Amino acid sequence: MNKHPPIAEFIQKVQDKYGPAANKKELTEFSDRLVWEIAEMIIYDKYPEIYDTRAILGWDFKDITSVVSLKDKIVIDAGAGTGRVTFKAVKDAGIVFAVEPCASLRRFIRKKAKKNNISNLFVIDGFLHEIPLPEVFADVLITSNAIGWKL
């Protein structure tokens, strides 16, 4: 807070909610986790091709298709990121809309779609809480590992 006063209010809120670190070791561990989270976000935004090779989905896409068929459906992948879910969905869906607020990730998805001759994918700017499509537009909405869900 002393080195960068504009962040003081945020730091105080965190301390009020979670309390101070118990000791120097815990503070170091939390600091290291924070630095790695920031580094991950920089890679995510600036180098999506690197992030895409490292990202782990953490679940099987069949978890979705066992609940609902995507065959010939209009699908929205909200918070598409690098398109890991999007590129699985385009295999069966009629049309997929990848909604992603980060411009570098939208460019990455478009480039990857073009490289793979995918024609049933549309990449659009938008947020999870403000999908720029009409209500009752899609048959299926998917979101996975997306950040920023605002209720």
Side-chain angles (χ1 to χ4, degrees), residues 12 15 25 44 56-57 71 77 94 103 105 110 113 117-118 130 136 141:
Q12 190 60 55
Q15 285 182 333
K25 181 182 177 201
Y44 182 77
I56 298 169
L57 197 52
K71 183 84 172 132
D77 179 11
L105 299 178
R110 287 184 184 112
N117 295 315
I118 295 170
E130 291 181 11
V136 196
L141 170 68

Side-chain angles (χ1 to χ4, degrees), residues 16-27:
D16 291 346
K17 184 173 182 175
Y18 298 104
N23 53 50
K24 189 169 180 147
K25 181 182 177 201
E26 186 178 72
L27 180 61

Side-chain angles (χ1 to χ4, degrees), residues 43-120:
I43 291 170
Y44 182 77
D45 182 49
K46 301 296 181 192
Y47 306 99
E49 64 284 350
I50 294 171
Y51 183 86
D52 193 53
T53 62
R54 297 179 58 225
I56 298 169
L57 197 52
W59 51 273
D60 191 328
F61 193 72
K62 291 177 186 170
D63 292 345
I64 290 175
T65 56
S66 68
V67 175
V68 62
S69 169
L70 302 184
K71 183 84 172 132
D72 300 324
K73 301 271 175 65
I74 297 173
V75 176
I76 298 172
D77 179 11
T82 60
R84 293 185 68 88
V85 170
T86 301
F87 289 107
K88 290 182 180 297
V90 294
K91 294 175 183 175
D92 292 323
I95 298 173
V96 175
F97 290 88
V99 179
E100 173 55 47
C102 183
S104 63
L105 299 178
R106 290 193 309 271
R107 283 190 300 273
F108 176 78
I109 294 171
R110 287 184 184 112
K111 183 178 176 181
K112 189 172 177 178
K114 185 175 181 178
K115 178 182 173 187
N116 291 292
N117 295 315
I118 295 170
S119 61
N120 62 333

